[in-house]
Amino acid sequence: MILTVTLNTALDITYRVRSLRPHTSHRVSDVIERPGGKGVNVARVLAALGHEVTVTGFAGGATGRAIRDRLADTTCVRDALVPIAGATRRTIAVVDELTGDTTQLNEPGPQISPTEWDTFLDRYAELLPSASAVSLSGSLPPGVPVGAYAGLIRTARALGVPVLLDTSGEPLRRGVAARPDIIKPNSDELAELTGSQEPLRATQDARRRGAHAVIASLGPEGLLAVTPEGRWRATPPTHIHGNPTGAGDSAVAGLLSGLAERLPWPERLARAVALSAATVRAAAAGEFDPGVYEQLLGRVAVTGLASAA
């Protein structure tokens, strides 16, 4: 079982409009609602790949009930979310059909009480012994300690469970110091963590700060990986147009599935890039176009880089 942690779950709502223009009314051509938050998206992709997944984090209010109802209908996904008094947030993605651009609006999330946080920690400790790997993904809702991910990483490491961390800002900085097995920052998050704008230098610096392996997301340019086994650049064969929401989460799912299946790093990276690109072509986050995925998987270029001097 792979465990995904989403402390700031969301009900993801995607609107499609012909052309998004400020200061005007718009007729929405299509609406999609899905359980969301980064770790929930990761779980849905892992389940589609055939992995058994358990989802934990927080859920409350009408949006929390909607998330749990939809998760109950998802094959291979077990709901272990902790009920809270506050209402789970919503995220709104508006897709401009004319340009293909997406505008994202993210609510901050509910206030988590100390009692609710303690309940989650107990649930996490109960689930970890059965996990082959764990992902810690996304932002922290109000009330959760800024060092929360660092503590969760240490708990998992004490049990020998590998951890992938995908967050930003101060939670990332503190989490890296707890020595996760993998971090997956994007270019901006990596620059904020290290102060370097040069991707390879920043990736190497992030690894020196404590991460066992650093997989940097370069958007449509693919992934840059610095690991104990080597350094690689993985790039898709073509630029895929569409909605990029959730593409990074699909990359995390590819990395986690490769970790659970003990695949060599080049195969993990190729899977992550192909899934990410296939998600850009899907209608909503946490889904991917299987046909695009199969077409791209064997065409992702994974190039080894020379070792650092």
Side-chain angles (χ1 to χ4, degrees):
M1 177 269 287
I2 298 175
L3 177 63
T4 71
V5 174
T6 313
L7 298 178
N8 212 2
T9 53
L11 183 65
D12 287 342
I13 303 169
T14 302
Y15 294 140
R16 300 187 72 88
V17 299
R18 173 62 180 166
S19 176
L20 183 62
R21 293 171 294 163
H23 316 301
T24 63
S25 297
H26 296 79
R27 185 175 298 277
V28 176
S29 61
D30 188 37
V31 181
I32 300 174
E33 290 189 0
R34 293 287 188 274
K38 294 178 73 65
V40 175
N41 293 338
V42 170
R44 198 155 54 243
V45 174
L46 284 168
L49 293 172
H51 289 273
E52 296 290 333
V53 191
T54 297
V55 173
T56 191
F58 299 108
T63 47
R65 287 193 297 275
I67 288 171
R68 303 190 83 161
D69 288 346
R70 286 166 170 80
L71 286 177
D73 296 329
T74 306
T75 303
C76 295
V77 175
R78 175 193 169 203
D79 172 6
L81 294 166
V82 173
I84 56 172
T88 296
R89 67 187 178 129
R90 297 163 298 177
T91 68
I92 311 296
V94 184
V95 180
D96 184 320
E97 295 177 336
L98 193 62
T99 65
D101 293 335
T102 300
T103 300
Q104 190 82 16
L105 304 173
N106 297 329
E107 296 178 0
Q111 182 76 29
I112 304 300
S113 72
T115 299
E116 289 166 343
W117 177 240
D118 288 342
T119 301
F120 167 78
L121 290 176
D122 291 340
R123 178 71 55 85
Y124 181 71
E126 292 170 1
L127 294 169
L128 269 179
S130 301
S132 59
V134 58
S135 72
L136 307 174
S137 302
S139 60
L140 302 179
V144 172
V146 70
Y149 283 140
L152 298 179
I153 290 165
R154 293 187 186 102
T155 301
R157 285 179 57 83
L159 294 176
V161 180
V163 183
L164 187 153
L165 176 64
D166 182 18
T167 188
S168 60
E170 186 65 11
L172 174 59
R173 189 184 70 80
R174 297 197 186 194
V176 167
R179 303 186 67 79
D181 294 85
I182 305 171
I183 63 170
K184 194 212 67 66
N186 62 32
S187 298
D188 291 340
E189 293 161 351
L190 195 59
E192 182 181 6
L193 174 66
T194 66
S196 174
Q197 298 290 333
E198 200 288 308
L200 182 56
R201 182 181 298 112
T203 303
Q204 293 173 156
D205 183 32
R207 184 163 182 262
R208 284 192 292 268
R209 290 168 185 253
H212 193 65
V214 181
I215 315 301
S217 173
L218 306 179
E221 303 303 317
L223 299 174
L224 178 64
V226 176
T227 80
E229 289 78 23
R231 309 189 309 171
W232 292 272
R233 179 76 180 269
T235 56
T238 184
H239 180 66
I240 304 294
H241 295 280
N243 179 4
T245 306
D249 304 330
S250 290
V252 168
L255 295 171
L256 277 173
S257 63
L259 174 64
E261 296 170 29
R262 302 181 183 275
L263 295 179
W265 271 109
E267 292 184 35
R268 298 187 206 182
L269 297 170
R271 179 180 292 183
V273 168
L275 282 170
S276 180
T279 297
V280 173
R281 289 289 297 274
E287 299 180 355
F288 63 93
D289 186 313
V292 174
Y293 170 62
E294 293 297 335
Q295 290 171 15
L296 293 178
L297 183 58
R299 299 170 55 207
V300 174
V302 182
T303 306
L305 303 177
S307 301

